[in-house]
Amino acid sequence: MEPNYANYSYNELLEALETIDHHAYPDRVNSIKARLATLDDKNGNVSIRGDYKDISLLLFLICSILGVMCTWMLIKGNENDFRAIVGAFMLPAAPFLYWHYKKKWRTHAKDHFILNKEGVLYSFKGQDAKLAWANITSIELSRTRYHSSLSFESKNKDKSIYIDIKKFRCSQLTVENFIRKKAAEHGMPYYKSTLWRGKKRIV
C-alpha cells in the first residue's frame, strides 16, 4: 500500500525521498516530487540570506577570559603548568586577534549569499556571481571539523559557486533542507561528503 504523501510534512517528504529505492518504486518517487512541487508553489517567496559573521568581539572575550584564568592559575599555583603558561599568552594576544578579525570583517562586511526560487546569488568582495537552478548540474554539501561548504557546479565551470557557509549568519539546517528540495525539484544530483569518509554519497 502506497503511503499518503499528502499528509507528510516538508521534512518527512525529503527524508522519504532520500531513503526510498528509486528503482523499485519509481511511482512513489514521482508522487513525492509532485508533492514537493506543490509545497514549493505555496512557498514560492521563500528566500534564505546569509550575511558574513563578525567574530572579532567573541574571540576577544574568549581569549581574554582564558588568558586571565591561566594567568591566575600561574600566580596561585605552586608549580608552572605548561598549558597554563601557553594560555596566559592569550591575554596579550587578545587585542591583536580582535584587530585582525575586525579588519577581516570590514573587508567582507557586505558579503552575502541568497538562495531563492530563482537560483543562487553570491556576493564576494563586491563581485556578484549568479546561477539559476536550471543551469546547476550538481550540488555538494561538504563538512569538515572547521568548515561547512556548499558547491554549486554549473554547466559552465567558470560560473560554479563555492560558499563556506560557516562564515555566514544563517541556519545551516534550513539551508540544507532548501537545497535538498531544489535538487529533488530539478532532478539534479545532490552529494554530501565529509573529511572522515572522504567519498561522496549521493542522497
Side-chain angles (χ1 to χ4, degrees):
M1 182 177 177
E2 182 174 333
N4 184 8
Y5 293 116
N7 296 328
Y8 277 43
S9 69
Y10 166 69
N11 288 332
E12 287 173 337
L13 286 169
L14 290 175
E15 186 68 26
L17 191 61
E18 277 192 12
T19 56
I20 195 170
D21 187 332
H22 287 234
H23 297 292
Y25 304 103
D27 292 337
R28 294 188 183 184
V29 171
N30 291 333
S31 297
I32 295 171
K33 289 183 177 180
R35 177 60 179 158
L36 282 171
T38 302
L39 292 177
D40 188 56
D41 290 339
K42 291 180 180 178
N43 301 284
N45 294 324
V46 171
S47 181
I48 300 172
R49 179 185 174 107
D51 292 299
Y52 199 83
K53 294 177 181 175
D54 180 8
I55 62 171
S56 54
L57 182 59
L58 178 62
L59 282 176
F60 175 78
L61 292 174
I62 292 173
C63 290
S64 298
I65 292 170
L66 288 176
V68 169
M69 290 173 59
C70 291
T71 302
W72 179 253
M73 287 169 58
L74 285 175
I75 294 173
K76 300 297 289 184
N78 294 324
E79 58 182 5
N80 292 335
D81 186 336
F82 178 74
R83 289 172 297 180
I85 294 173
V86 173
F89 279 106
M90 296 180 74
L91 189 59
F96 171 77
L97 286 173
Y98 175 80
W99 171 82
H100 174 75
Y101 281 95
K102 197 69 176 179
K103 182 180 178 182
K104 186 175 182 180
W105 177 79
R106 289 193 186 103
T107 302
H108 296 278
K110 295 183 178 180
D111 290 357
H112 64 273
F113 71 86
I114 296 174
L115 306 175
N116 55 28
K117 62 179 181 178
E118 276 79 35
V120 183
L121 169 65
Y122 182 39
S123 182
F124 180 71
K125 293 185 178 180
Q127 300 296 318
D128 290 341
K130 299 179 182 178
L131 269 179
W133 294 114
N135 294 325
I136 297 174
T137 56
S138 67
I139 305 173
E140 180 180 352
L141 173 65
S142 178
R143 284 201 180 99
T144 67
R145 184 173 296 180
Y146 305 106
H147 298 281
S148 186
S149 63
L150 278 172
S151 296
F152 298 91
E153 294 295 330
S154 169
K155 295 175 182 177
N156 181 351
K157 295 296 182 182
D158 294 334
K159 292 187 177 181
S160 297
I161 295 176
Y162 171 87
I163 305 172
D164 187 352
I165 58 176
K166 267 197 172 180
K167 294 182 178 179
F168 293 84
R169 290 194 305 271
C170 63
S171 166
Q172 293 190 39
L173 180 60
T174 302
V175 169
E176 183 175 354
N177 286 339
F178 187 82
I179 61 174
R180 284 165 63 191
K181 179 181 176 183
K182 287 301 178 184
E185 180 184 337
H186 292 274
M188 69 183 77
Y190 169 54
Y191 301 97
K192 294 173 75 173
S193 63
T194 66
L195 176 67
W196 299 274
R197 293 178 184 173
K199 293 181 179 180
K200 292 182 181 180
R201 178 172 65 90
I202 192 166
V203 295

